[in-house]
Short mmCIF file of all heavy atoms in Angstrom, two decimals:
data_model
loop_
_atom_site.label_atom_id
_atom_site.label_comp_id
_atom_site.label_asym_id
_atom_site.label_seq_id
_atom_site.Cartn_x
_atom_site.Cartn_y
_atom_site.Cartn_z
N MET A 1 15.94 245.88 120.44
CA MET A 1 16.60 244.73 121.06
C MET A 1 15.53 243.78 121.58
O MET A 1 14.54 244.19 122.17
CB MET A 1 17.48 245.25 122.20
CG MET A 1 18.23 244.19 122.92
SD MET A 1 19.36 244.93 124.14
CE MET A 1 20.06 243.46 124.78
N ASP A 2 15.73 242.49 121.35
CA ASP A 2 14.79 241.50 121.88
C ASP A 2 15.29 240.99 123.23
O ASP A 2 16.25 241.51 123.78
CB ASP A 2 14.60 240.36 120.88
CG ASP A 2 15.90 239.69 120.49
OD1 ASP A 2 16.86 239.72 121.30
OD2 ASP A 2 15.98 239.13 119.40
N GLU A 3 14.64 239.98 123.78
CA GLU A 3 15.00 239.48 125.11
C GLU A 3 16.14 238.47 125.10
O GLU A 3 16.49 237.94 126.15
CB GLU A 3 13.76 238.90 125.80
CG GLU A 3 12.73 239.97 126.12
CD GLU A 3 11.57 239.44 126.92
OE1 GLU A 3 11.79 238.93 128.02
OE2 GLU A 3 10.43 239.56 126.43
N LEU A 4 16.73 238.19 123.95
CA LEU A 4 17.86 237.28 123.89
C LEU A 4 19.11 237.96 124.46
O LEU A 4 19.29 239.16 124.30
CB LEU A 4 18.12 236.86 122.43
CG LEU A 4 17.00 236.06 121.77
CD1 LEU A 4 17.33 235.82 120.30
CD2 LEU A 4 16.79 234.74 122.50
N PRO A 5 19.96 237.21 125.14
CA PRO A 5 21.17 237.81 125.70
C PRO A 5 22.05 238.41 124.61
O PRO A 5 22.16 237.88 123.51
CB PRO A 5 21.89 236.63 126.37
CG PRO A 5 20.84 235.59 126.56
CD PRO A 5 19.84 235.79 125.45
N MET A 6 22.67 239.53 124.92
CA MET A 6 23.59 240.20 124.01
C MET A 6 24.99 239.70 124.35
O MET A 6 25.40 239.75 125.51
CB MET A 6 23.49 241.72 124.26
CG MET A 6 24.46 242.57 123.50
SD MET A 6 24.22 244.33 123.87
CE MET A 6 25.03 244.47 125.47
N GLU A 7 25.69 239.18 123.36
CA GLU A 7 27.06 238.69 123.60
C GLU A 7 27.97 239.87 123.87
O GLU A 7 27.71 241.00 123.46
CB GLU A 7 27.55 237.91 122.38
CG GLU A 7 26.81 236.60 122.17
CD GLU A 7 27.43 235.77 121.08
OE1 GLU A 7 28.64 235.91 120.82
OE2 GLU A 7 26.71 234.96 120.49
N GLU A 8 29.07 239.59 124.58
CA GLU A 8 30.02 240.65 124.89
C GLU A 8 30.55 241.26 123.60
O GLU A 8 30.89 240.54 122.66
CB GLU A 8 31.18 240.11 125.72
CG GLU A 8 32.13 241.20 126.17
CD GLU A 8 33.20 240.70 127.09
OE1 GLU A 8 34.23 240.22 126.58
OE2 GLU A 8 32.99 240.76 128.31
N GLU A 9 30.60 242.60 123.60
CA GLU A 9 31.09 243.31 122.43
C GLU A 9 31.66 244.65 122.89
O GLU A 9 31.40 245.10 124.00
CB GLU A 9 29.97 243.55 121.41
CG GLU A 9 28.81 244.36 121.96
CD GLU A 9 27.66 244.53 120.98
OE1 GLU A 9 27.55 243.72 120.05
OE2 GLU A 9 26.89 245.48 121.14
N SER A 10 32.44 245.25 122.02
CA SER A 10 32.93 246.60 122.26
C SER A 10 32.93 247.31 120.90
O SER A 10 32.94 246.66 119.85
CB SER A 10 34.32 246.60 122.89
OG SER A 10 35.27 246.02 122.02
N HIS A 11 32.90 248.63 120.93
CA HIS A 11 32.81 249.41 119.69
C HIS A 11 33.91 250.47 119.67
O HIS A 11 34.41 250.88 120.72
CB HIS A 11 31.44 250.08 119.60
CG HIS A 11 30.31 249.10 119.54
ND1 HIS A 11 29.92 248.47 118.40
CD2 HIS A 11 29.50 248.62 120.52
CE1 HIS A 11 28.92 247.65 118.66
NE2 HIS A 11 28.65 247.73 119.95
N ALA A 12 34.25 250.91 118.47
CA ALA A 12 35.28 251.94 118.30
C ALA A 12 34.79 253.32 118.74
O ALA A 12 35.59 254.20 119.01
CB ALA A 12 35.73 251.98 116.84
N ALA A 13 33.48 253.50 118.81
CA ALA A 13 32.89 254.78 119.22
C ALA A 13 32.05 254.57 120.48
O ALA A 13 31.65 253.44 120.78
CB ALA A 13 32.02 255.34 118.10
N ASP A 14 31.77 255.65 121.20
CA ASP A 14 30.87 255.56 122.36
C ASP A 14 29.52 255.02 121.90
O ASP A 14 29.11 255.25 120.76
CB ASP A 14 30.66 256.94 122.99
CG ASP A 14 31.91 257.49 123.65
OD1 ASP A 14 32.88 256.73 123.86
OD2 ASP A 14 31.92 258.69 123.95
N GLU A 15 28.83 254.31 122.79
CA GLU A 15 27.52 253.72 122.48
C GLU A 15 26.52 254.19 123.52
O GLU A 15 26.76 254.11 124.73
CB GLU A 15 27.63 252.20 122.50
CG GLU A 15 26.35 251.49 122.15
CD GLU A 15 26.51 249.98 122.17
OE1 GLU A 15 27.45 249.45 122.79
OE2 GLU A 15 25.66 249.32 121.56
N ALA A 16 25.38 254.70 123.05
CA ALA A 16 24.30 255.14 123.94
C ALA A 16 23.23 254.06 123.99
O ALA A 16 22.74 253.61 122.96
CB ALA A 16 23.70 256.45 123.44
N LEU A 17 22.88 253.62 125.20
CA LEU A 17 21.84 252.62 125.40
C LEU A 17 20.68 253.27 126.13
O LEU A 17 20.79 253.60 127.31
CB LEU A 17 22.38 251.44 126.21
CG LEU A 17 23.60 250.72 125.62
CD1 LEU A 17 24.13 249.69 126.60
CD2 LEU A 17 23.26 250.08 124.29
N LEU A 18 19.57 253.49 125.44
CA LEU A 18 18.39 254.11 126.01
C LEU A 18 17.33 253.02 126.18
O LEU A 18 16.96 252.36 125.21
CB LEU A 18 17.85 255.21 125.09
CG LEU A 18 16.53 255.85 125.50
CD1 LEU A 18 16.64 256.54 126.85
CD2 LEU A 18 16.07 256.83 124.43
N VAL A 19 16.88 252.82 127.39
CA VAL A 19 15.88 251.80 127.68
C VAL A 19 14.49 252.45 127.63
O VAL A 19 14.20 253.36 128.39
CB VAL A 19 16.12 251.14 129.06
CG1 VAL A 19 15.06 250.10 129.35
CG2 VAL A 19 17.51 250.52 129.10
N LEU A 20 13.67 251.99 126.70
CA LEU A 20 12.32 252.53 126.53
C LEU A 20 11.30 251.79 127.37
O LEU A 20 10.31 252.37 127.82
CB LEU A 20 11.92 252.47 125.06
CG LEU A 20 12.81 253.27 124.10
CD1 LEU A 20 12.35 253.05 122.67
CD2 LEU A 20 12.84 254.73 124.47
N ASP A 21 11.53 250.48 127.58
CA ASP A 21 10.56 249.66 128.29
C ASP A 21 11.30 248.52 128.98
O ASP A 21 12.22 247.95 128.40
CB ASP A 21 9.54 249.11 127.29
CG ASP A 21 8.29 248.57 127.94
OD1 ASP A 21 7.95 249.01 129.06
OD2 ASP A 21 7.63 247.71 127.34
N GLY A 22 10.94 248.20 130.19
CA GLY A 22 11.57 247.09 130.91
C GLY A 22 12.84 247.52 131.60
O GLY A 22 12.99 248.65 132.06
N ARG A 23 13.81 246.60 131.60
CA ARG A 23 15.07 246.83 132.30
C ARG A 23 16.18 246.13 131.52
O ARG A 23 16.02 245.00 131.08
CB ARG A 23 14.96 246.27 133.72
CG ARG A 23 16.15 246.55 134.59
CD ARG A 23 15.95 246.02 136.01
NE ARG A 23 16.00 244.56 136.01
CZ ARG A 23 15.06 243.78 136.54
NH1 ARG A 23 14.00 244.28 137.11
NH2 ARG A 23 15.19 242.47 136.50
N LEU A 24 17.31 246.79 131.36
CA LEU A 24 18.46 246.22 130.69
C LEU A 24 19.48 245.83 131.76
O LEU A 24 19.93 246.66 132.54
CB LEU A 24 19.07 247.24 129.74
CG LEU A 24 20.29 246.82 128.94
CD1 LEU A 24 19.97 245.61 128.05
CD2 LEU A 24 20.80 247.98 128.10
N GLU A 25 19.76 244.53 131.84
CA GLU A 25 20.76 244.01 132.77
C GLU A 25 22.07 243.93 132.02
O GLU A 25 22.20 243.17 131.07
CB GLU A 25 20.35 242.63 133.29
CG GLU A 25 19.09 242.63 134.13
CD GLU A 25 19.22 243.43 135.42
OE1 GLU A 25 20.34 243.59 135.93
OE2 GLU A 25 18.18 243.90 135.91
N LEU A 26 23.04 244.74 132.42
CA LEU A 26 24.33 244.82 131.73
C LEU A 26 25.45 244.30 132.61
O LEU A 26 25.36 244.31 133.84
CB LEU A 26 24.66 246.28 131.39
CG LEU A 26 23.91 246.95 130.29
CD1 LEU A 26 24.32 248.42 130.20
CD2 LEU A 26 24.14 246.26 128.96
N GLU A 27 26.51 243.90 131.94
CA GLU A 27 27.78 243.66 132.60
C GLU A 27 28.79 244.45 131.80
O GLU A 27 28.99 244.21 130.61
CB GLU A 27 28.13 242.17 132.60
CG GLU A 27 29.38 241.89 133.41
CD GLU A 27 29.65 240.41 133.55
OE1 GLU A 27 28.74 239.68 133.97
OE2 GLU A 27 30.78 240.00 133.23
N VAL A 28 29.38 245.45 132.44
CA VAL A 28 30.32 246.35 131.78
C VAL A 28 31.68 246.19 132.44
O VAL A 28 31.83 246.45 133.63
CB VAL A 28 29.84 247.82 131.86
CG1 VAL A 28 30.81 248.75 131.16
CG2 VAL A 28 28.44 247.96 131.24
N ASN A 29 32.66 245.72 131.65
CA ASN A 29 33.99 245.43 132.20
C ASN A 29 33.91 244.56 133.44
O ASN A 29 34.61 244.77 134.43
CB ASN A 29 34.77 246.71 132.50
CG ASN A 29 35.38 247.31 131.25
OD1 ASN A 29 35.63 246.63 130.27
ND2 ASN A 29 35.62 248.60 131.29
N GLY A 30 32.99 243.58 133.43
CA GLY A 30 32.85 242.64 134.53
C GLY A 30 32.00 243.12 135.69
O GLY A 30 31.80 242.39 136.65
N THR A 31 31.48 244.34 135.62
CA THR A 31 30.65 244.89 136.70
C THR A 31 29.18 244.85 136.30
O THR A 31 28.81 245.45 135.28
CB THR A 31 31.07 246.35 137.00
OG1 THR A 31 32.45 246.37 137.36
CG2 THR A 31 30.23 246.93 138.12
N PRO A 32 28.32 244.17 137.07
CA PRO A 32 26.90 244.13 136.73
C PRO A 32 26.20 245.44 137.09
O PRO A 32 26.55 246.10 138.08
CB PRO A 32 26.34 242.98 137.59
CG PRO A 32 27.32 242.85 138.71
CD PRO A 32 28.64 243.34 138.22
N LEU A 33 25.24 245.84 136.26
CA LEU A 33 24.43 247.02 136.54
C LEU A 33 23.09 246.88 135.84
O LEU A 33 22.93 246.09 134.93
CB LEU A 33 25.14 248.31 136.16
CG LEU A 33 25.60 248.46 134.72
CD1 LEU A 33 24.63 249.32 133.95
CD2 LEU A 33 26.97 249.08 134.71
N SER A 34 22.14 247.67 136.28
CA SER A 34 20.78 247.62 135.77
C SER A 34 20.38 249.00 135.27
O SER A 34 20.59 250.00 135.96
CB SER A 34 19.86 247.18 136.91
OG SER A 34 18.64 246.74 136.43
N VAL A 35 19.83 249.06 134.06
CA VAL A 35 19.36 250.31 133.47
C VAL A 35 17.86 250.17 133.26
O VAL A 35 17.41 249.25 132.58
CB VAL A 35 20.08 250.61 132.13
CG1 VAL A 35 19.67 251.97 131.59
CG2 VAL A 35 21.59 250.52 132.28
N ARG A 36 17.08 251.06 133.85
CA ARG A 36 15.62 250.95 133.82
C ARG A 36 14.99 251.81 132.74
O ARG A 36 15.63 252.69 132.19
CB ARG A 36 15.05 251.35 135.18
CG ARG A 36 15.48 250.40 136.26
CD ARG A 36 14.97 250.83 137.59
NE ARG A 36 15.48 249.88 138.59
CZ ARG A 36 14.82 249.55 139.66
NH1 ARG A 36 13.66 250.09 139.94
NH2 ARG A 36 15.34 248.69 140.51
N ALA A 37 13.72 251.55 132.48
CA ALA A 37 12.97 252.31 131.48
C ALA A 37 13.12 253.81 131.75
O ALA A 37 13.01 254.26 132.88
CB ALA A 37 11.50 251.91 131.52
N GLY A 38 13.41 254.56 130.70
CA GLY A 38 13.59 256.00 130.80
C GLY A 38 15.01 256.42 131.11
O GLY A 38 15.32 257.61 131.09
N GLU A 39 15.91 255.46 131.34
CA GLU A 39 17.30 255.79 131.66
C GLU A 39 18.19 255.58 130.44
O GLU A 39 17.92 254.75 129.57
CB GLU A 39 17.82 254.93 132.81
CG GLU A 39 17.12 255.21 134.12
CD GLU A 39 17.64 254.35 135.26
OE1 GLU A 39 18.25 253.29 135.03
OE2 GLU A 39 17.42 254.76 136.41
N LEU A 40 19.27 256.36 130.39
CA LEU A 40 20.26 256.28 129.33
C LEU A 40 21.59 255.87 129.96
O LEU A 40 21.98 256.41 131.00
CB LEU A 40 20.42 257.66 128.67
CG LEU A 40 21.53 257.79 127.63
CD1 LEU A 40 21.17 257.02 126.37
CD2 LEU A 40 21.76 259.26 127.32
N TYR A 41 22.29 254.92 129.34
CA TYR A 41 23.60 254.51 129.82
C TYR A 41 24.58 254.67 128.66
O TYR A 41 24.32 254.18 127.56
CB TYR A 41 23.59 253.06 130.32
CG TYR A 41 24.92 252.68 130.93
CD1 TYR A 41 25.21 253.03 132.25
CD2 TYR A 41 25.89 252.02 130.20
CE1 TYR A 41 26.44 252.72 132.82
CE2 TYR A 41 27.11 251.70 130.75
CZ TYR A 41 27.38 252.05 132.06
OH TYR A 41 28.60 251.75 132.61
N MET A 42 25.69 255.33 128.91
CA MET A 42 26.73 255.52 127.90
C MET A 42 27.85 254.51 128.13
O MET A 42 28.40 254.43 129.23
CB MET A 42 27.29 256.94 127.96
CG MET A 42 26.29 258.03 127.63
SD MET A 42 25.66 257.98 125.93
CE MET A 42 27.15 258.23 124.99
N VAL A 43 28.18 253.75 127.09
CA VAL A 43 29.29 252.81 127.13
C VAL A 43 30.43 253.47 126.36
O VAL A 43 30.28 253.77 125.16
CB VAL A 43 28.92 251.46 126.51
CG1 VAL A 43 30.09 250.49 126.58
CG2 VAL A 43 27.69 250.86 127.19
N ALA A 44 31.54 253.71 127.02
CA ALA A 44 32.68 254.37 126.38
C ALA A 44 33.28 253.48 125.29
O ALA A 44 33.24 252.25 125.37
CB ALA A 44 33.74 254.69 127.43
N ALA A 45 33.83 254.10 124.28
CA ALA A 45 34.49 253.39 123.18
C ALA A 45 35.51 252.41 123.74
O ALA A 45 36.24 252.73 124.69
CB ALA A 45 35.16 254.39 122.26
N GLY A 46 35.53 251.20 123.18
CA GLY A 46 36.49 250.18 123.59
C GLY A 46 36.14 249.43 124.86
O GLY A 46 36.87 248.54 125.26
N THR A 47 34.99 249.75 125.49
CA THR A 47 34.58 249.10 126.72
C THR A 47 33.79 247.83 126.41
O THR A 47 32.85 247.86 125.61
CB THR A 47 33.71 250.05 127.57
OG1 THR A 47 34.46 251.22 127.86
CG2 THR A 47 33.26 249.39 128.87
N ALA A 48 34.16 246.72 127.04
CA ALA A 48 33.45 245.45 126.83
C ALA A 48 32.13 245.46 127.60
O ALA A 48 32.10 245.78 128.79
CB ALA A 48 34.30 244.29 127.30
N ALA A 49 31.04 245.15 126.90
CA ALA A 49 29.71 245.12 127.54
C ALA A 49 28.90 243.96 126.98
O ALA A 49 29.02 243.59 125.82
CB ALA A 49 28.98 246.43 127.31
N GLN A 50 28.06 243.39 127.85
CA GLN A 50 27.11 242.35 127.44
C GLN A 50 25.89 242.49 128.32
O GLN A 50 25.93 243.14 129.36
CB GLN A 50 27.70 240.95 127.56
CG GLN A 50 28.03 240.54 128.97
CD GLN A 50 28.68 239.16 129.01
OE1 GLN A 50 29.14 238.65 128.01
NE2 GLN A 50 28.71 238.57 130.18
N GLY A 51 24.77 241.91 127.91
CA GLY A 51 23.58 242.03 128.75
C GLY A 51 22.36 241.40 128.14
O GLY A 51 22.42 240.71 127.12
N SER A 52 21.22 241.66 128.79
CA SER A 52 19.94 241.16 128.30
C SER A 52 18.83 242.10 128.74
O SER A 52 18.95 242.79 129.76
CB SER A 52 19.68 239.74 128.81
OG SER A 52 19.64 239.71 130.21
N LEU A 53 17.77 242.13 127.97
CA LEU A 53 16.63 242.99 128.25
C LEU A 53 15.58 242.19 129.00
O LEU A 53 15.27 241.05 128.65
CB LEU A 53 16.04 243.50 126.93
CG LEU A 53 14.84 244.42 127.02
CD1 LEU A 53 15.20 245.71 127.72
CD2 LEU A 53 14.30 244.71 125.63
N ARG A 54 15.03 242.77 130.05
CA ARG A 54 13.93 242.18 130.81
C ARG A 54 12.71 243.05 130.59
O ARG A 54 12.69 244.19 131.03
CB ARG A 54 14.25 242.13 132.31
CG ARG A 54 15.53 241.41 132.63
CD ARG A 54 15.34 239.91 132.50
NE ARG A 54 16.54 239.25 132.98
CZ ARG A 54 17.28 238.45 132.25
NH1 ARG A 54 16.98 238.21 131.01
NH2 ARG A 54 18.34 237.88 132.75
N LYS A 55 11.72 242.52 129.90
CA LYS A 55 10.51 243.28 129.64
C LYS A 55 9.56 243.18 130.83
O LYS A 55 9.55 242.18 131.54
CB LYS A 55 9.82 242.77 128.38
CG LYS A 55 10.69 243.02 127.16
CD LYS A 55 9.88 243.05 125.92
CE LYS A 55 10.81 243.39 124.76
NZ LYS A 55 10.11 243.52 123.53
N PRO A 56 8.75 244.23 131.06
CA PRO A 56 7.79 244.18 132.17
C PRO A 56 6.75 243.09 131.94
O PRO A 56 6.42 242.77 130.79
CB PRO A 56 7.15 245.56 132.18
CG PRO A 56 7.48 246.17 130.88
CD PRO A 56 8.68 245.46 130.32
N ARG A 57 6.23 242.53 133.02
CA ARG A 57 5.22 241.47 132.93
C ARG A 57 3.90 242.01 132.40
O ARG A 57 3.20 241.35 131.70
CB ARG A 57 5.03 240.82 134.30
CG ARG A 57 6.24 240.02 134.69
CD ARG A 57 6.06 239.33 136.03
NE ARG A 57 7.38 239.21 136.62
CZ ARG A 57 7.80 239.89 137.66
NH1 ARG A 57 7.01 240.72 138.29
NH2 ARG A 57 9.02 239.74 138.10
N HIS A 58 3.56 243.24 132.77
CA HIS A 58 2.35 243.90 132.26
C HIS A 58 2.55 245.39 132.40
O HIS A 58 3.54 245.84 132.99
CB HIS A 58 1.08 243.42 132.98
CG HIS A 58 1.11 243.58 134.46
ND1 HIS A 58 0.95 244.79 135.08
CD2 HIS A 58 1.34 242.67 135.45
CE1 HIS A 58 1.02 244.62 136.38
NE2 HIS A 58 1.27 243.35 136.63
N ALA A 59 1.64 246.19 131.86
CA ALA A 59 1.80 247.64 131.81
C ALA A 59 2.09 248.27 133.17
O ALA A 59 2.83 249.23 133.27
CB ALA A 59 0.56 248.28 131.19
N GLY A 60 1.55 247.72 134.25
CA GLY A 60 1.76 248.27 135.58
C GLY A 60 3.16 248.02 136.12
O GLY A 60 3.56 248.63 137.11
N ASP A 61 3.95 247.14 135.48
CA ASP A 61 5.29 246.81 135.94
C ASP A 61 6.36 247.58 135.19
O ASP A 61 7.53 247.24 135.24
CB ASP A 61 5.57 245.31 135.71
CG ASP A 61 4.86 244.44 136.70
OD1 ASP A 61 4.36 244.97 137.72
OD2 ASP A 61 4.76 243.23 136.45
N ARG A 62 6.03 248.64 134.51
CA ARG A 62 6.98 249.38 133.68
C ARG A 62 8.27 249.63 134.47
O ARG A 62 8.27 250.22 135.53
CB ARG A 62 6.36 250.69 133.24
CG ARG A 62 7.23 251.42 132.28
CD ARG A 62 6.47 252.62 131.73
NE ARG A 62 7.30 253.32 130.78
CZ ARG A 62 7.37 253.00 129.50
NH1 ARG A 62 6.67 252.03 129.02
NH2 ARG A 62 8.15 253.69 128.69
N GLY A 63 9.38 249.12 133.92
CA GLY A 63 10.67 249.31 134.54
C GLY A 63 10.98 248.33 135.65
O GLY A 63 12.08 248.28 136.13
N ALA A 64 10.04 247.53 136.08
CA ALA A 64 10.28 246.60 137.19
C ALA A 64 10.40 245.16 136.73
O ALA A 64 10.58 244.28 137.53
CB ALA A 64 9.15 246.73 138.21
N GLY A 65 10.29 244.91 135.41
CA GLY A 65 10.25 243.56 134.86
C GLY A 65 11.43 242.80 135.13
O GLY A 65 11.90 241.85 135.33
#
């Protein structure tokens, strides 16, 4: 995933979002949340989600970008 905003979408199956670097800012069913590097977030099938990835500014900011 790049740093462009992800448009709202939903899927017929559960979706696993694993953040490897930076922070994923999500809005799930209208509720904002943040998923950091090393964290996994499961989006249930049929759930509307949108968001954007925030990459760290430099190696020392891992997960804080």
Side-chain angles (χ1 to χ4, degrees):
M1 181 174 180
D2 56 26
E3 293 186 59
L4 296 175
M6 175 179 78
E7 292 188 26
E8 185 174 86
E9 60 184 22
S10 63
H11 298 278
D14 292 346
E15 182 180 20
L17 303 173
L18 174 62
V19 179
L20 300 176
D21 196 25
R23 185 177 71 232
L24 180 60
E25 295 296 334
L26 287 175
E27 186 173 307
V28 180
N29 280 336
T31 302
L33 57 101
S34 197
V35 185
R36 295 178 182 212
E39 295 180 339
L40 174 71
Y41 185 82
M42 296 296 298
V43 181
T47 301
Q50 65 183 16
S52 60
L53 180 64
R54 304 285 187 239
K55 295 203 176 183
R57 290 182 210 110
H58 56 75
D61 286 346
R62 186 172 181 86

